[in-house]
Amino acid sequence: MTDQLVQYKYQKKGIWTCIKVFFVLSTVALFCSCEPKKSPEKMNNAVIGEWKPVQEHLLGANANLISFNDPWNMEGLVEVTKKTEIRTLRYPGGTIGNYWDWDIGAIDRDVPDSLMIKWVVENDHRASPDRYTIESLARMYQQTGIVPVFMLNMLSKDLQHSVRNLKKAQSLGIPIKYIEMGNELYFNIPFPLLRYPTPEVYGETCQIWIDELKKEFPDASFAVVGTNMTRHARQVDWNKRVLEKCKNADAITIHLYSPSGLDGRLERKKIAPGKEGLGASGTATRTAPKEIGERQKWELELLKDKQAYSNMFTTASKNLKKIDGFYVPKAMDLWVTEFNIRDDNSVVLHSWAQTLILSKYLFKFLESDVELSSMHNLTGNLFGMVHTDTLNYQQLKSQSIKSMPYTLSSGGMVTKLFGDAMKGKVEGAVLNFDTVSMLTDDRGDQVENMKGYIFKHENEKTAIIANYDVTGQEIEFSTIPDFKGKMHIYASSPSKPVIGLENILVDEVDFVDTIKLPPYSIAIIKFQ
């Protein structure tokens, strides 16, 4: 019973009546069997917090598109990227940007293997004939309006290389709005250590580069690389030490990765480049089978266990607390230029559970006034926000599932939903729930079972609310008298793969006075 999901096609506006909500709730209850379902004992009253400006470019993606030749000449990629509703795209990407030759749109041929990060060498990316050029990026902007976040190569190329190519991008009609000064240069690996033996040297270099770049691009914002790592002496107080030498930066960056935590495992303390977010098996609260196929069957059962399921949300909350203690001067913005969960062989990867987890990240970014965020990564088997082939579920050994090219995966689905809610809005506020319940994990740690945010422009208001709980929830808005409107509900079993809207229950309902949310759901609420 628990894994059977009635497939619904998207219902056009006005077809379903309010009575259908009860049908959706009962259907969702069939496939969400963590525990016997009960009606909520108390009505949740949603209280609107303080209104503040919305960061219009908050939603974005990292884009290591080195596996494609001229990627933005691919109509399917262009169209599915539009569906993600992202507003920024990081170019050329993360680690590869530290070795990027912008003149040719590929890895710098002159960087020796000894100075290259291991995974780039192992995949022989330097020898690839594929090209991801500024001309291709210009086609992306012309077709989508998505603004690039330019990540500069401060390891193998000089300042003039960046100036020349940013001018080229500008001449092709691309706005020069966001510029990032390198990627993860705090790791103690050969090339960053060679160029920037201390954070002070990196800060001094950024001061010089930003001064020159601001002469050419006075409207751009510049972000220096930040970290909260303290594994090496070079990393201790990195942010403060960089900013003592660099006084002209507008923002600082952070990267956030963590395991899903389904089995209770916590993030490794010894974080190596390319391994960010992986869990430490010794910290798990539950003992898994050794064989991958059997482990994945076991994980499917864990997703039906409320405490194990709750592990994922407390793990995400622990990771997001890094923002609270992150050193950012008051006058500076925070850019989260990479984030995602890391569970390479798990059933959680690309599932509806991942969509729910990532929604917690976006709620936190809104609450914390993050200027922009780049989900890692637009494409790829481990992180892809969109499916570009049939292989994005090849990690599954106990199931046979194929992805559908050019459909949204879990990451793309969550940016789409937030993008739909934010579209055209200029102010936003946290939604607080006065009778909110708590999800309790294996360690007794707790996290709220709902999160919400409301947006407005003049008299138009739209909210997005996630119900992470295994039970349905009812909500009233005492601060909006006689409220009514329409609501789009998206719900699924946590274990179900996200392949566009396949496997997702989608309903459109009218509401008056009370909002009813199914378990495991995200709702977009348009007030009238």
Side-chain angles (χ1 to χ4, degrees):
M1 168 176 85
T2 59
D3 287 326
Q4 293 178 355
L5 173 63
V6 179
Q7 300 294 322
Y8 290 94
K9 297 295 183 182
Y10 183 84
Q11 304 299 313
K12 296 296 183 182
K13 184 177 180 180
I15 293 178
W16 283 22
T17 65
C18 292
I19 297 173
K20 285 285 187 175
V21 174
F22 297 100
F23 180 68
V24 171
L25 288 171
S26 61
T27 303
V28 172
L30 286 175
F31 65 76
C32 303
S33 62
C34 292
E35 60 177 30
K37 305 303 183 296
K38 299 177 182 178
S39 298
E41 295 180 2
K42 296 181 180 179
M43 184 77 68
N44 290 290
N45 180 45
V47 180
I48 298 174
E50 180 183 354
W51 292 101
K52 57 187 180 181
V54 170
Q55 287 70 35
E56 65 171 315
H57 290 116
L58 174 68
L59 303 177
N62 195 34
N64 290 339
L65 296 175
I66 54 177
S67 297
F68 304 93
N69 186 54
D70 193 6
W72 299 111
N73 198 33
M74 300 164 59
E75 183 178 354
L77 181 60
V78 172
E79 292 308 310
V80 74
T81 299
K82 290 179 184 177
K83 292 178 182 177
T84 66
E85 295 292 342
I86 59 173
R87 295 291 180 262
T88 62
L89 191 82
R90 198 172 178 225
Y91 175 86
T95 299
I96 62 166
N98 284 335
Y99 322 114
W100 197 254
D101 186 337
W102 292 44
D103 292 330
I104 65 172
I107 296 292
D108 190 344
R109 270 45 183 164
D110 296 328
V111 180
D113 287 354
S114 60
L115 292 181
M116 203 92 71
I117 199 168
K118 187 177 179 180
W119 68 264
V120 173
V121 175
E122 290 175 343
N123 288 280
D124 202 19
H125 286 307
R126 187 175 48 199
S128 172
D130 295 333
R131 294 291 182 268
Y132 180 21
T133 62
I134 295 174
E135 288 83 357
S136 182
L137 187 68
R139 281 192 287 277
M140 183 280 299
Y141 178 71
Q142 292 158 7
Q143 294 175 91
T144 68
I146 296 170
V147 175
V149 176
F150 292 102
M151 199 223 91
L152 305 186
N153 179 351
M154 296 184 68
L155 289 183
S156 76
K157 295 296 183 182
D158 60 15
L159 172 59
Q160 290 311 308
H161 180 89
S162 290
V163 171
R164 181 176 69 253
N165 281 285
L166 287 170
K167 283 184 175 180
K168 181 179 181 180
Q170 190 175 58
S171 72
L172 292 171
I174 302 175
I176 312 299
K177 184 173 179 62
Y178 299 113
I179 298 176
E180 185 180 1
M181 311 304 289
N183 178 78
E184 296 180 351
L185 298 172
Y186 44 78
F187 280 117
N188 281 14
I189 54 178
F191 218 168
L193 281 170
L194 177 66
R195 289 283 187 261
Y196 309 111
T198 68
E200 287 82 3
V201 174
Y202 169 65
E204 290 168 355
T205 306
C206 286
Q207 178 76 28
I208 294 168
W209 280 47
I210 293 172
D211 271 347
E212 291 301 312
L213 287 163
K214 282 190 172 182
K215 293 175 185 177
E216 302 290 345
F217 312 104
D219 297 328
S221 294
F222 295 83
V224 296
V225 172
T227 187
N228 58 355
M229 294 183 186
T230 56
R231 183 181 174 189
H232 305 287
R234 180 171 169 269
Q235 295 171 342
V236 175
D237 289 329
W238 172 279
N239 294 4
K240 290 182 180 180
R241 293 163 67 187
V242 168
L243 294 174
E244 283 173 359
K245 301 295 182 180
C246 179
K247 304 296 186 181
N248 53 6
D250 305 288
I252 192 164
T253 69
I254 187 174
H255 290 177
L256 296 168
Y257 292 95
S258 73
S260 73
L262 179 59
D263 64 355
R265 71 178 60 202
L266 303 175
E267 183 182 5
R268 295 178 184 176
K269 291 185 178 180
K270 293 186 177 181
I271 301 172
K275 304 295 184 181
E276 299 96 318
L278 288 175
S281 58
T283 63
T285 54
R286 304 195 180 215
T287 304
K290 297 291 186 183
E291 197 271 324
I292 291 179
E294 291 302 312
R295 177 188 174 88
Q296 291 175 351
K297 292 177 183 178
W298 177 76
E299 286 183 324
L300 291 173
E301 295 303 312
L302 285 191
L303 285 168
K304 302 171 190 175
D305 180 295
K306 186 174 181 179
Q307 279 190 206
Y309 169 80
S310 300
N311 286 340
M312 297 189 297
F313 297 95
T314 55
T315 298
S317 294
K318 287 183 178 77
N319 193 34
L320 289 168
K321 284 180 181 177
K322 294 174 183 176
I323 290 178
D324 300 332
F326 197 67
Y327 177 76
V328 185
K330 288 184 179 180
M332 298 186 74
D333 292 325
L334 178 62
W335 300 1
V336 184
T337 51
E338 289 185 24
F339 72 97
N340 213 316
I341 68 165
R342 187 75 190 268
D343 253 329
D344 300 0
N345 292 299
S346 174
V347 299
V348 177
L349 185 61
H350 302 316
S351 71
W352 182 248
Q354 184 173 359
T355 302
L356 294 173
I357 295 167
L358 291 174
S359 75
K360 279 192 65 67
Y361 281 73
L362 295 181
F363 281 124
K364 180 66 173 180
F365 298 163
L366 286 163
E367 293 170 9
S368 304
D369 298 326
V370 170
E371 175 68 16
L372 59 84
S373 65
S374 305
M375 190 180 295
H376 186 80
N377 186 50
L378 185 64
T379 64
N381 292 341
L382 290 182
F383 301 103
M385 297 168 62
V386 302
H387 302 295
T388 57
D389 54 35
T390 62
L391 304 176
N392 267 21
Y393 290 97
Q394 63 183 359
Q395 91 278 7
L396 297 179
K397 306 305 178 186
S398 61
Q399 305 173 70
S400 179
I401 299 173
K402 291 185 178 181
S403 50
M404 184 181 298
Y406 304 119
T407 57
L408 298 180
S409 183
S410 52
M413 184 60 67
V414 76
T415 57
K416 168 197 158 40
L417 298 182
F418 275 78
D420 287 346
M422 295 171 67
K423 192 172 295 183
K425 306 302 188 294
V426 297
E427 289 185 289
V430 175
L431 290 177
N432 298 301
F433 305 100
D434 61 356
T435 56
V436 68
S437 299
M438 306 299 287
L439 298 174
T440 304
D441 69 7
D442 286 345
R443 294 182 173 86
D445 294 333
Q446 294 186 317
V447 66
E448 294 178 342
N449 68 340
M450 288 196 301
K451 296 292 290 185
Y453 213 84
I454 187 167
F455 307 94
K456 72 175 181 178
H457 177 55
E458 296 180 345
N459 293 325
E460 293 184 6
K461 292 186 179 71
T462 304
I464 183 167
I465 301 177
N467 174 21
Y468 304 119
D469 214 327
V470 303
T471 60
Q473 302 293 318
E474 296 184 5
I475 303 169
E476 288 185 344
F477 280 78
S478 61
T479 48
I480 304 180
D482 303 319
F483 77 95
K484 61 181 180 179
K486 288 193 177 291
M487 175 170 61
H488 286 89
I489 301 170
Y490 299 80
S492 187
S493 167
S495 64
K496 287 297 179 182
V498 176
I499 308 173
L501 290 176
E502 184 178 339
N503 297 332
I504 297 175
L505 290 169
V506 183
D507 192 13
E508 180 183 317
V509 299
D510 297 310
F511 63 85
V512 177
D513 296 331
T514 302
I515 289 170
K516 298 181 180 181
L517 299 181
Y520 313 126
S521 66
I522 298 176
I524 298 173
I525 301 140
K526 296 185 178 180
F527 298 94
Q528 295 178 353

